Amino acid sequence: MRSPFLPRFSDLPAALPIFPLSGAVVMPGVQLPLNIFEPRYLNMVQGALASDHLIGMVQPRGNDDAFEDHPPLHRVGCAGRITSYSETNDGRIIMVLTGLCRFEIAEELALVDGYRRVRPDWGRFADDYVDETAPLVEREAFMGSLRVYCERRSVEVPWDDVSKMDDGDLINLLCAHLPLGSEDKQALIETVNLHDRAQLMQGLMEMSAHGDMSGTEQRH
């Protein structure tokens, strides 16, 4: 059941503040904790809280990250809603962003208070607003690959909880939180269909588990 606090698809904004950060990916229904301390991103959070609470997570291209002045961006990101927020005595904001809908960047807009904004095109990812309930055809094989990957990578997983998750929720959660490389994460978030995304993830896990162990850990 969708939260009553989330906007309808038709109400998604025409302008969106963005937080470009390599390795930090949010997907629909997935929570991403963030520690905000740089002035321009504190401005961004305060601006979002004063309006619709929405922020877009977009990965920079290559090795660039959010702390360079203006890194080039990938064309696809995901918007999330600030669903938890607290301030610290040393001037930081601790918050949780809950994924809402992916988007393509139609154009970049003028800076506001030092942070970047885009005009998002939501159309390609309208199905993010539709619960993907169709089961994966090969869930048992997928879970086997996940177990091998997690064992090789020493990733702790609450297997009892995972076994009870719907396929869509599971795949989106893994997209955001497995320690895959940033380019692998980008390929996953750009894959529209759940079944295709699961197949791609399984292939990436198998290559990583049996390869050179060079995945890049997610940074928040």
Side-chain angles (χ1 to χ4, degrees), residues 63-182:
N63 295 321
D64 297 310
D65 62 28
F67 304 104
E68 295 194 10
D69 285 339
H70 209 82
L73 303 173
H74 282 286
R75 300 299 296 178
V76 174
C78 185
R81 189 175 191 276
I82 301 171
T83 52
S84 176
Y85 163 90
S86 63
E87 300 171 352
T88 68
N89 289 334
D90 59 358
R92 293 175 294 119
I93 290 175
I94 308 297
M95 71 180 198
V96 172
L97 201 66
T98 299
L100 182 61
C101 185
R102 289 170 289 171
F103 61 89
E104 293 181 287
I105 296 176
E107 66 173 326
E108 186 155 357
L109 304 174
L111 295 177
V112 170
D113 293 333
Y115 60 86
R116 298 169 73 173
R117 301 180 307 142
V118 301
R119 180 169 66 83
D121 183 348
W122 308 99
R124 180 182 169 197
F125 299 103
D127 283 350
D128 284 354
Y129 263 68
V130 178
D131 291 333
E132 297 184 89
T133 57
L136 299 179
V137 176
E138 300 290 345
R139 176 156 176 149
E140 185 175 347
F142 180 89
M143 293 302 294
S145 297
L146 177 62
R147 285 185 179 275
V148 171
Y149 173 87
C150 291
E151 289 171 1
R152 297 285 180 89
R153 291 283 178 169
S154 300
V155 177
E156 294 185 6
V157 173
W159 293 107
D160 288 343
D161 294 336
V162 165
S163 66
K164 300 172 186 175
M165 294 182 69
D166 291 337
D167 292 335
D169 291 340
L170 173 62
I171 298 304
N172 284 348
L173 180 70
L174 295 175
C175 284
H177 293 299
L178 282 185
L180 295 166
S182 60

Side-chain angles (χ1 to χ4, degrees), residues 33-52:
L34 292 166
N35 177 17
I36 308 297
F37 55 86
E38 192 177 352
R40 55 180 161 171
Y41 297 121
L42 292 171
N43 292 340
M44 175 190 69
V45 172
Q46 291 165 344
L49 289 170
S51 57
D52 53 20

